[in-house]
Amino acid sequence: VKAGATCGASFAVIALMSAVTAKLAPRLRLYGRPSSSNTQKILWMLHEVGVPFDLTLASARLGHGSQTLCAHTGGAPFGVVDTEEYGRMCPTRQIPLLLDGDVAVWESHSILRYLAQKYAPELHLSDAAGMARCSPWLDWLLASNINLGCNHDLVDQLARTPFERRDYARATAAHEGYVSRLAMVEDRLAVTESSFVAGEKFTIADIAIGVELSRWCCALERWSHDAASGSAPPRPALPEYPRLREFYARLQARPAFVRGSRDHEREHFGLPALQPTAGTDQRPAPSLFGQG
């Protein structure tokens, strides 16, 4: 009895020490802005793993009170990235940046891998073989220049530039860039017949690609609204992509995606907030390109 009591007491002490340690541990701090697709990847991931964090608004391009580029408004950006302290933590002075105690992690895909390794290894499939299936998709996104290419061109024109100054030829080229790049994801999903990019399990690869898909879809939904009101030329033709349509529907069912990416992106593009269906707490899920 005494041995059992001692053992139980030891477990109680260990549990208490773990709880105290958790409380004393500094919260994660994320530097970025919710309208940044790279920041959205980390917000989504943090909600997936359920780790408390604080967000410090940081940007060289956008600031308080407007979704328009400071270059157009003349306003002040959030800043922070231009400080000496930030430069010591992140040599590129870009966002996002994650601070975990004394560990500073920069580059969104490196942050995704870090959070998976520390908090949810199953999100990179738990072992080296699993990482080999999902991690290449993150590298492909960078190599294809989707973020600094069609991503920035599309969002800068349709969300961050006043109507009268928008370059729709540039926006069309950006849309075509998405069409050509995401055709490979469509083909992969068709060949593997899997639910997610790296197989049947959700991984960090789905976060990286899902955020890009969300940006593309919100941009085209915005374009459709503007064309209908006569303030924009007709929206370009849309690809079929049935597998991507199914994939996007699966993402809508993940609360972390809705909270960390989709709702921020809809706000950034000035799209109406999705209200809960009467009598429920469920909000409708827009399908691919905002079409029903």
Side-chain angles (χ1 to χ4, degrees):
V1 176
K2 289 183 178 180
T6 301
C7 183
S10 298
F11 281 124
V13 171
I14 293 172
L16 177 60
M17 291 177 64
S18 298
V20 171
T21 301
K23 288 184 178 180
L24 293 177
R27 286 165 62 96
L28 297 182
R29 180 166 296 278
L30 175 63
Y31 294 83
R33 52 178 167 76
S35 60
S36 154
S37 58
N38 283 332
T39 302
Q40 287 173 23
K41 296 172 190 175
I42 312 310
L43 290 169
W44 179 356
M45 180 66 169
L46 287 167
H47 290 307
E48 288 283 354
V49 299
V51 179
F53 67 95
D54 296 310
L55 175 65
T56 294
L57 293 173
S59 177
R61 307 178 77 222
L62 283 88
H64 292 283
S66 176
Q67 301 288 359
T68 305
L69 291 169
C70 292
H72 297 308
T73 66
F78 292 123
V80 179
V81 295
D82 57 350
T83 64
E84 183 178 344
E85 178 186 9
Y86 195 89
R88 286 197 300 268
M89 296 186 293
C90 178
T92 63
R93 297 183 180 274
Q94 300 294 312
I95 57 172
L97 165 71
L98 182 75
L99 190 61
D100 184 4
D102 295 331
V103 178
V105 193
W106 44 283
E107 288 296 323
S108 61
H109 293 176
S110 292
I111 299 172
L112 287 177
R113 294 184 180 104
Y114 174 83
L115 290 171
Q117 180 69 23
K118 184 168 183 177
Y119 297 105
E122 67 275 12
L123 291 182
H124 62 48
L125 300 177
S126 301
D127 57 19
M131 175 68 84
R133 293 203 301 276
C134 65
S135 191
W137 289 101
L138 279 66
D139 296 328
W140 166 73
L141 280 172
L142 295 178
S144 68
N145 199 34
I146 195 169
N147 184 263
L148 294 179
C150 49
N151 176 315
H152 265 201
D153 284 347
L154 196 60
V155 71
D156 280 0
Q157 293 305 317
L158 300 185
R160 301 172 180 169
T161 298
F163 284 108
E164 65 277 7
R165 301 180 67 176
R166 290 179 182 174
D167 183 343
Y168 282 97
R170 191 168 188 174
T172 298
H175 162 69
E176 292 170 351
Y178 268 111
V179 172
S180 62
R181 288 165 173 82
L182 291 184
M184 190 175 85
V185 184
E186 169 71 18
D187 291 344
R188 182 66 174 180
L189 291 170
V191 168
T192 61
E193 297 185 342
S194 56
S195 299
F196 297 103
V197 173
E200 286 306 311
K201 294 182 179 179
F202 176 84
T203 70
I204 54 177
D206 301 298
I207 292 178
I209 290 175
V211 164
E212 292 296 345
L213 190 56
S214 178
R215 170 144 295 179
W216 186 27
C217 292
C218 286
L220 292 175
E221 186 177 348
R222 175 74 272 163
W223 198 333
S224 295
H225 287 308
D226 294 343
S229 69
S231 58
R235 184 207 61 212
L238 303 178
E240 289 296 327
Y241 291 169
R243 296 291 182 173
L244 276 176
R245 187 181 298 275
E246 294 169 358
F247 172 67
Y248 195 54
R250 293 187 192 99
L251 298 184
Q252 305 289 327
R254 305 190 73 87
F257 165 64
V258 173
R259 187 178 178 189
S261 178
R262 190 195 73 185
D263 284 358
H264 292 307
E265 195 69 358
R266 291 188 67 81
E267 179 182 5
H268 192 41
F269 276 95
L271 296 170
L274 300 174
Q275 300 301 324
T277 303
T280 75
D281 60 357
Q282 299 297 313
R283 291 182 293 175
S287 61
L288 198 65
F289 309 129
Q291 297 178 320

